[in-house]
Amino acid sequence: MSEPTRKYSITMPRDIAEAARARSGPSGLSAYVAAAVARQIERDNLNEIVAVAEAEHGPVADEEVQALRDRLLQARRQQTSDERDSGGADSGEADSS
């Protein structure tokens, strides 16, 4: 986040604030909250895009959604496998059996 920062005062439930503080790590609570808000804005933007697309083309069938999820999972597994095979000391020829 290279944009200039500004200080804000927010109110949230104590248990959420304490859980966020415990997970915030060395970057601090402000950075943790800023990242969470940025992710929510991305989700809101995606929801708006989906709403516009569905208004224009109709809703996406559950089967289509599942097929795309399956493709995404397969791509992630392939990427993980490729990364494992291309780097590290464990990528020797012993795996070719």
Side-chain angles (χ1 to χ4, degrees), residues 26-94:
S27 60
L29 182 60
S30 292
Y32 188 86
V33 171
V37 171
R39 279 192 306 275
Q40 185 61 48
I41 291 169
E42 288 174 356
R43 286 180 173 207
D44 293 346
N45 289 340
L46 287 172
N47 286 336
E48 290 173 11
I49 291 169
V50 168
V52 168
E54 286 185 338
E56 186 174 330
H57 303 287
V60 179
D62 290 341
E63 296 81 19
E64 292 175 283
V65 171
Q66 187 58 50
L68 290 171
R69 285 182 175 150
D70 292 343
R71 285 179 55 193
L72 179 59
L73 180 60
Q74 182 181 5
R76 286 179 177 159
R77 286 179 177 160
Q78 183 63 47
Q79 181 180 14
T80 301
S81 175
D82 290 348
E83 289 171 356
R84 222 182 354 233
D85 291 346
S86 67
D90 294 336
S91 62
E93 293 181 14

